[in-house]
Amino acid sequence: FLNDVEEKIGEAKRLQGDFEYPGWARFGGKYREVDRNFETITSNVTNQDRKDENVYLNFTKLSFMPINMRASRSETVTPSSVDTGDSALVSSLEEGRVVSQSGAADTTINIRRLPRIGLGYSFTNSESNQLKRQDHSDNYNGSLDYSLGLKSPLVNVLPSNISGTYSMNKIFIYY
């Protein structure tokens, strides 16, 4: 029997779905939200409100060019260390609201007897109201792979495969 028990009421939500339209595509998403008062015996106490959203689409109908796309968004709200009282769970460096977003798309074009071409794009974006700063990055990549199919001993001096990759990353920081 305990006297003067401290009671906290927290809430957590989660929803996830994965679907397939046979021969065409696979797609799905996940949503998760946890408030700062939600605690379990095994979870870390972070004293933060957190919301995560993820979606994806894998388009497979075009067998010579499958397309994959994904996106995510997370939002973390950390209360002021002054407002949390004696709790040592919040640092003044973590206070405020941080929103992060990311996304990516890629494909591989694979047509018989032609070079295989890979293309991709991804981005990340992070915004913090406490730091009054926004970070953004874009990444572009491509690849080319071609098998010559030469198997004669007379042409051993020629390469049997030619490949190359390219990647460009742009980073922007706004204050």
Side-chain angles (χ1 to χ4, degrees), residues 11-16 29-35 38 40 43-44 46 49-54 73-75:
E11 186 176 18
K13 303 172 190 173
R14 180 178 173 173
L15 177 65
Q16 180 173 349
K30 180 169 55 171
Y31 175 84
R32 182 175 184 255
E33 185 177 348
V34 178
D35 75 12
F38 182 79
T40 67
S43 66
N44 294 334
T46 60
D49 296 331
R50 184 162 175 96
K51 187 186 306 184
D52 296 307
E53 303 164 41
N54 300 289
R73 181 182 186 280
S74 71
E75 181 178 341

Side-chain angles (χ1 to χ4, degrees), residues 93-118:
L93 299 174
E94 297 174 333
E95 292 176 3
R97 180 174 175 258
V98 177
V99 177
S100 300
Q101 299 170 327
S102 66
D106 59 71
T107 187
T108 301
I109 303 169
N110 194 7
I111 301 173
R112 282 182 39 196
R113 296 190 188 98
L114 293 177
R116 184 173 54 216
I117 299 170

